[in-house]
């Protein structure tokens, strides 16, 4: 069995941002010389995730807006009454007692999930025609790490 | 290391539908002759997912209703005020500017996740007694693909 | 390829509870003698999950409160009007017709996801500094099983 591990440091300009990494994962697959196997793509942080979806700007913007309603930040005003009601009672995250302000980013990590596993067939990522891999940052503007682990034969 | 890859084409009758595929995955495991390993089951689309849960009709119907509240469609009236408030402001998905109407299906893909990885032990899927594997379609009535990739020894 | 499978029985004191299992997974990795590979950590039940996040009590308490709003139980009063509106219409889960009361736990399983796949590098779990592995119980106080499957070389 072959294995190949690549670490990438991500530093987003925005606090929340989707960064397309399909090409990085494909490069790791090629460098691994694995023809048949699996590629694990995993955020090494608890306030980020990995999502496979369409690289269509409208979808990505819709998703960031929706994530702020379902997993609302408290460092800015809630988007609407539903977002406000999904904050912890009586209004702020217990996690913020220690001086943090990223409670929402932990819930977004839960929603998006921190990793994906992708099939490798014939030496290529075996994705559907619209599937792109995104690093999903929810508390950025600082260095964070991502690991790509390829195993197979 | 052995590997075995199976593609299945899914065409649901309903726009949203759960389709049980446990037996397809088990068949792929048997055909792979892998005794110890992993089975990746992955939708190859951005508006579908894979879920492991109980094959109890009430649960599946509850889940479709709930998904329409949390990730609301705009091609039909929102289920209630909460669903309405979780649509993008001021009421429709940016994604629909290009003529699509399936913005909600992308968010449902995020919630359900597009893939699962299952253990294989002694040549069988190593699932709990109530765990069944479902293909989760959120924008169906057309041909879509699923990949099952088995690796191991 | 080496493989190693460990089953753990979990019996939580609370109906909903996060149980840290990072050390169990690390022990399984060591016992497997796998240096480079993957560890699958998977609940064998449909009302539990596995989450990788920070072992900070505030986060875990925030998350349980939030899960009860987004995926509301009906065996207790809904947390607020939003939670109430996310219950099935007209107020209870179809799943409960059979005498169950854990419909919410199936939706929490969907949100958290029942499994994670973790990288193994140099014989160790290759996690970020704050990443801990949690078994997430949503219908506990009884024996439930978890499987850890390590594969690699």
């Amino acid at each position: 069995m072959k294995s190949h591990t690549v670490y990438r440091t991500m530093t987003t300009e925005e606090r929340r941002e989707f960064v397309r990494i399909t090409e990085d994962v494909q490069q790791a697959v090629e460098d691994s010389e694995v023809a048949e196997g699996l590629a694990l793509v995993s955020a090494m942080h608890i306030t980020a995730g990995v999502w496979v979806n369409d690289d269509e700007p409208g979808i990505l913007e819709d998703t960031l807006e929706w994530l702020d309603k379902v997993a609302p930040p408290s460092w800015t005003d809630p988007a609407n009454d539903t977002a406000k009601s999904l904050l912890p009672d009586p209004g702020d995250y217990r996690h913020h007692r220690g001086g943090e302000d990223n409670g929402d980013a932990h819930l977004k990590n839960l929603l998006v999930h921190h990793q994906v596993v992708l099939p490798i067939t014939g030496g290529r990522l075996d994705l559907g025609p619209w599937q792109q891999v995104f690093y999903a940052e929810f508390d950025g503007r600082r260095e964070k790490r991502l690991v790509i682990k390829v195993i197979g034969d």
Side-chain angles (χ1 to χ4, degrees), chain A:
Chain A
M1 202 200 73
K2 291 170 186 161
S3 73
H4 182 61
T5 309
V6 176
Y7 302 95
R8 266 208 59 184
T9 300
M10 314 295 294
T11 314
T12 58
E13 286 189 28
E14 303 297 327
R15 182 162 175 151
R16 287 85 60 85
E17 192 172 326
F18 285 106
V19 182
R20 174 171 161 159
I21 56 170
T22 319
E23 292 71 20
D24 298 82
V25 182
Q26 180 59 44
Q27 188 62 50
V29 170
E30 287 170 26
D31 293 344
S32 73
E33 299 184 359
V34 164
E36 300 292 321
L38 301 177
L40 170 67
V41 185
S42 186
M44 300 184 82
H45 286 260
I46 53 192
T47 52
V50 179
W51 190 35
V52 172
N53 212 276
D54 193 1
D55 193 1
E56 196 279 294
I59 288 178
L60 302 179
E61 211 175 326
D62 286 337
T63 303
L64 288 177
E65 179 182 343
W66 176 80
L67 284 168
D68 266 356
K69 290 179 176 172
V70 179
S74 67
W75 51 265
T76 185
D77 285 337
N80 57 27
D81 285 347
T82 297
K84 191 173 178 184
S85 72
L86 291 174
L87 282 166
D89 295 320
D92 201 7
Y93 292 94
R94 294 165 187 84
H95 180 50
H96 295 178
R97 292 175 195 155
E100 299 278 353
D101 72 349
N102 62 4
D104 67 301
H106 293 269
L107 299 179
K108 288 172 169 107
N109 157 284
L110 185 152
L111 284 165
V112 172
H113 226 58
H114 82 284
Q115 42 90 319
V116 294
V117 176
L118 308 171
I120 302 166
T121 307
R124 305 275 311 163
L125 278 180
D126 198 357
L127 298 175
W130 298 280
Q131 285 185 309
Q132 301 292 340
V133 189
F134 293 93
Y135 172 74
E137 178 61 81
F138 304 122
D139 186 25
R141 295 176 176 158
R142 52 191 173 110
E143 289 192 2
K144 295 174 86 165
R145 291 175 86 211
L146 176 82
V147 57
I148 304 168
K149 185 119 203 165
V150 180
I151 70 163
D153 261 350

